[in-house]
């Protein structure tokens, strides 16, 4: 009889949050939403430009996807939008397949995310080993930093390649076009973002004029200060640097109309890997971000991973029809949202509306924003994105953890995220199989190992661990450990916690080998899971029910 497939109920967290909504909570959400909206503006433009698309694509994604993720998601405070983790992926897809195919792959990834949520697969994303997550996160951070050197140094490069070594070669061959003005702006912006006071580091009750000023300044996002000052410097000093206006012609002062990208099954077949990559990375990033938000705001209900995946799916399905790029949960904006006092998804909706108001009112001002300033911001994002201390801590861990983390990191940098995750999972699975196989053991039973404790010709062995395909060799080697006078082998299985079909096959082969030598096989104290498999496979009938006994004493008495 086939197992019934249960579908997760679609119920956004917003509905629960509105049941007892109050005016003070609304004011707190509005304040947090305004703050996050201002923070999101430079990041959305920077992520889009670094991804190889126009800056408005990032802003439209932050508005539309941010609104849908907050309205339909399973988290109280998560903020969605374009993320730094997608920069390398989006850039590679645009370079290889073109912008239209990126939009198709993003929509198809949205469908996959919705299906993952409906089928309750949200918890499975958590089973990806932390070594793989750290490895590809640090790899992506390195690639983001490398991709920003072009604008930071003001190099005259029409288009950066997607390959790691090709990027290094192009940067090296174009160093002669170094622009000191762009480098000065980028370096100053990076320093200002790093040194600008952060609200979450400020004391609750500062004493003195300077601490009060620092606390007041911390409420103004450093990225916004950087954009304003850098833009003023370019306009007033007429610095010869590349700006959003000179490269992209500015940002439109309206949302784009609904358009359908050209779709064909022939094209869709080529987008299987990009689609899976976007869906997988979006699921991992959004659920990791939601867990961070849960830890920061324990007073709120924990997120619903399946509802969150469905919301991410709807956002990625819809946003490309308005010129948007892949979206997911964003840790930096979510942390800002929590620190600013948000309590419900209303804050995320306000954040999206704030971005919309900025676009409608002040889009022309973005024309003079220097790209070097955005490069400085992204370098700061890349540095914060990587967990660099994990490299220093590698010496504390065993070889499997080191190999998996470093292997995933190198594969991400040299090849791409899809290959890195595949290789990382293969390494993790291989090391896990090896580790589990070393934990399985077949030893003489400690209670019946001394000479004279057992009747002549009886050998008792204890099985410990999990008898699976990676450990069957120890069972196959058992006949070689028996004496010439052995007439009965007892396997004590109280500590055998699980067994798979390879394990049952090994027991069947052991029984047949012993039978040819006129040696009986008795199983004692079998746990429910192995016993159920023994019965379902028919091995109980082959062995004989009388040879499956409750304890070693009964087996020894029967053998005697």
């Amino acid at each position: 009889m086939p197992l019934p497939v249960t579908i997760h109920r679609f119920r956004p967290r917003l509905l629960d949050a509105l049941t007892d909504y109050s005016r003070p909570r609304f004011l707190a959400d509005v304040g947090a939403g305004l703050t996050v909206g201002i923070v999101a503006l430079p990041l959305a433009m920077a992520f889009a430009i670094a991804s190889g698309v126009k800056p408005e694509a990032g802003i439209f994604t932050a508005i539309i996807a941010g609104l849908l993720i907050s309205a339909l998601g399973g988290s109280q405070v998560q903020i969605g939008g374009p993320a730094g983790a997608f920069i390398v992926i989006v850039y590679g897809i645009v370079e290889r397949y073109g912008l239209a195919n990126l939009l198709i792959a993003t929509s198809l990834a949205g469908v996959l995310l919705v299906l993952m949520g409906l089928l309750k697969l949200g918890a499975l994303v958590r089973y990806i080993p932390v070594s793989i997550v750290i490895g590809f996160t640090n790899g992506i951070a390195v690639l983001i930093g490398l991709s920003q050197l072009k604008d930071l140094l003001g190099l005259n490069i029409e288009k950066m390649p997607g390959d790691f070594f090709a990027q290094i070669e192009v940067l090296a061959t174009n160093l002669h076009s170094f622009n000191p003005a762009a480098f000065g702006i980028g370096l100053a912006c990076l320093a200002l973002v790093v040194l600008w006071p952060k609200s979450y580091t400020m004391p609750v009750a500062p004493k003195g004029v300077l601490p009060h000023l620092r606390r007041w300044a911390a409420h103004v996002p450093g990225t916004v200060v950087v954009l304003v000052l850098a833009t003023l410097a370019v306009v007033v000093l007429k610095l010869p640097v590349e700006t959003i206006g000179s490269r992209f012609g500015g940002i439109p002062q309206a949302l784009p109309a609904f358009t359908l990208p050209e779709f064909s099954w022939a094209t869709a077949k080529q987008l299987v890997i990009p689609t899976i990559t976007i869906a997988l990375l979006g699921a991992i990033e959004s659920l990791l971000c939601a867990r961070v938000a849960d830890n920061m705001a324990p007073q709120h209900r924990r997120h619903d991973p399946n509802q969150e995946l469905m919301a991410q799916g709807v956002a990625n399905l819809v946003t490309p029809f308005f010129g948007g790029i892949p979206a997911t949960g964003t840790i930096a904006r979510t942390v800002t949202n929590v620190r600013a006092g948000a309590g419900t998804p209303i804050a995320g909706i306000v954040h999206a509306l704030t971005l919309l108001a900025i676009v409608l009112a002040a889009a022309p001002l973005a024309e003079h924003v220097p790209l070097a300033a955005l490069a400085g911001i992204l370098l700061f994002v890349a540095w914060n994105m990587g967990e660099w201390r994990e490299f220093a801590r590698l010496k504390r861990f065993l070889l499997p953890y080191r190999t998996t983390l470093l292997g995933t990191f190198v594969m991400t940098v040299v090849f791409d995220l899809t290959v890195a995750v595949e290789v990382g999972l293969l390494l993790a699975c291989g090391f896990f199989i090896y580790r589990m196989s070393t934990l399985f053991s077949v030893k003489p039973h400690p209670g019946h190992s001394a000479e004279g404790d057992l009747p002549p010709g009886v050998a008792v062995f204890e099985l410990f661990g999990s008898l699976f395909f990676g450990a069957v060799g120890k069972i196959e080697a058992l006949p070689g450990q028996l004496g010439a006078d052995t007439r009965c082998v007892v396997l004590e299985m109280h500590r055998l916690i699980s067994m798979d079909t390879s394990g049952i096959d090994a027991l069947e082969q052991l029984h047949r080998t012993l039978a040819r030598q006129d040696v009986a096989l008795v199983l004692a104290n079998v746990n429910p899971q192995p016993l159920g498999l023994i019965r379902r496979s028919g091995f109980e009938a082959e062995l004989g029910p009388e040879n499956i006994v409750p304890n070693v004493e009964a087996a020894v008495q029967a053998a005697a």
Side-chain angles (χ1 to χ4, degrees):
M1 180 178 179
L3 294 175
V5 177
T6 58
I7 302 298
H8 191 273
R9 184 181 64 158
F10 188 88
R11 183 174 177 80
R13 189 57 57 84
L14 178 63
L15 298 178
D16 299 327
L18 292 178
T19 54
D20 57 347
Y21 205 58
S22 61
R23 185 173 180 273
R25 182 173 294 180
F26 173 73
L27 295 177
D29 286 339
V30 170
L34 290 172
T35 302
V36 179
I38 296 173
V39 171
L41 178 64
L43 294 179
M45 291 191 297
F47 291 154
I49 294 172
S51 300
V53 297
K54 294 183 177 181
E56 59 263 29
I59 298 176
F60 297 154
T61 303
I63 294 172
I64 300 170
L67 178 65
L68 291 173
I69 290 172
S70 294
L72 305 177
S75 172
Q76 296 276 111
V77 292
Q78 175 153 270
I79 300 295
F86 274 122
I87 289 176
V88 179
I89 304 301
V90 173
Y91 191 90
I93 295 174
V94 171
E95 183 188 39
R96 185 176 304 177
Y97 302 101
L99 180 59
N101 288 329
L102 167 68
L103 303 181
I104 294 173
T106 304
S107 291
L108 294 176
V111 175
L112 284 183
L113 287 168
V114 171
L115 292 176
M116 290 172 63
L118 285 174
L119 298 177
K120 300 182 179 180
L121 300 180
L124 295 181
V125 177
R126 299 181 181 180
Y127 295 154
I128 297 178
V130 65
S131 55
I132 295 178
V133 176
I134 294 174
F136 77 67
T137 301
N138 286 8
I140 290 174
V142 169
L143 292 176
I144 292 173
L146 182 64
S147 68
Q148 295 312 298
L149 293 182
K150 165 184 172 290
D151 290 331
L152 179 72
L153 302 176
L155 302 182
N156 187 18
I157 301 174
E158 184 176 350
K159 185 174 179 60
M160 286 286 288
D163 181 68
F164 172 73
F165 295 107
Q167 287 184 353
I168 295 178
E169 181 182 0
V170 169
L171 289 172
T173 55
N174 287 275
L175 282 177
H176 63 275
S177 60
F178 171 72
N179 186 334
F183 181 67
I185 290 177
L187 210 59
C189 290
L190 175 60
L192 186 58
V193 173
V194 171
L195 299 176
W196 190 261
K198 314 296 188 296
S199 60
Y200 52 85
T201 64
M202 293 294 101
V204 177
K207 296 181 180 179
V209 177
L210 185 59
H212 272 93
L213 290 176
R214 284 177 54 82
R215 183 169 179 79
W216 176 85
H219 286 85
V220 182
T223 52
V224 175
V225 175
V226 160
L227 281 190
V228 172
L229 293 180
T231 303
L232 287 175
V234 169
V235 173
V236 174
L237 302 178
K238 301 186 184 312
L239 298 176
V241 297
E242 195 171 17
T243 64
I244 289 179
S246 63
R247 181 182 295 184
F248 302 103
I251 295 177
Q253 203 169 359
L255 285 177
F258 180 89
T259 56
L260 290 173
E262 294 185 9
F263 178 82
S264 68
W265 282 113
T267 301
K269 291 177 183 178
Q270 300 176 2
L271 299 176
V272 172
I273 298 301
T275 297
I276 295 175
T277 303
I278 293 173
L280 179 63
L281 183 57
I284 294 172
E285 285 292 314
S286 63
L287 296 185
L288 284 177
C289 179
R291 291 176 65 182
V292 170
D294 289 341
N295 294 332
M296 291 185 60
Q299 70 274 17
H300 301 316
R301 286 177 56 192
R302 296 191 67 82
H303 75 281
D304 179 348
N306 298 307
Q307 181 63 43
E308 190 62 33
L309 286 184
M310 287 189 282
Q312 300 286 340
V314 172
N316 282 284
L317 174 62
V318 173
T319 305
F321 297 126
F322 295 91
I325 57 178
T328 185
T330 56
I331 293 180
R333 276 157 277 176
T334 299
V335 169
T336 302
N337 193 39
V338 175
R339 297 290 186 184
T344 73
I346 294 295
I349 296 174
V350 173
H351 132 268
L353 297 177
T354 301
L355 282 171
L356 176 61
I358 293 174
V359 169
L360 296 179
L365 299 178
E367 180 181 351
H368 302 289
V369 173
L371 297 181
L374 296 178
I377 292 173
L378 279 180
L379 286 173
F380 177 73
V381 171
W383 176 257
N384 283 338
M385 181 180 176
E387 298 187 43
W388 313 111
R389 62 182 180 277
E390 293 299 323
F391 288 131
R393 297 176 64 231
L394 282 178
K395 58 185 179 183
R396 304 180 185 177
F397 298 98
L398 298 176
L399 179 64
Y401 180 87
R402 300 177 190 173
T403 305
T404 304
L405 192 153
L406 291 176
T408 307
F409 171 76
V410 172
M411 289 292 172
T412 302
V413 173
V414 176
F415 295 101
D416 59 47
L417 179 64
T418 305
V419 175
V421 173
E422 290 172 353
V423 172
L425 287 174
L426 287 176
L427 287 173
C429 290
F431 284 125
F432 177 76
I433 293 170
Y434 172 76
R435 177 61 176 164
M436 293 300 295
S437 66
T438 59
L439 293 178
F440 176 76
S441 63
V442 180
K443 298 178 180 179
H445 193 279
H448 299 272
S449 58
E451 186 177 353
D453 285 352
L454 297 174
V458 178
V460 181
F461 295 90
E462 182 183 48
L463 305 187
F464 177 86
S466 178
L467 180 55
F468 70 112
F469 62 90
V472 295
K474 296 179 181 180
I475 292 292
E476 295 170 350
L478 189 58
Q481 304 175 25
L482 303 177
D485 61 339
T486 303
R487 290 294 173 263
C488 179
V489 173
V490 180
L491 298 183
E492 206 287 326
M493 304 174 69
H494 175 62
R495 293 189 176 184
L496 184 71
I497 58 175
S498 67
M499 181 168 59
D500 68 357
T501 53
S502 297
I504 196 70
D505 181 70
L507 289 182
E508 291 175 351
Q509 295 296 331
L510 175 65
H511 170 59
R512 293 163 188 163
T513 301
L514 294 178
R516 286 194 294 269
Q517 301 174 7
D518 199 21
V519 178
L521 177 64
V522 179
L523 308 181
N525 206 358
V526 186
N527 281 317
Q529 190 276 333
L531 182 60
L533 183 57
I534 288 171
R535 289 171 174 169
R536 293 194 306 273
S537 66
F539 181 53
E540 182 183 34
E542 180 183 345
L543 182 65
E546 68 279 3
N547 289 323
I548 301 178
V549 297
N551 51 56
V552 175
E553 288 72 19
V556 171
Q557 290 174 6

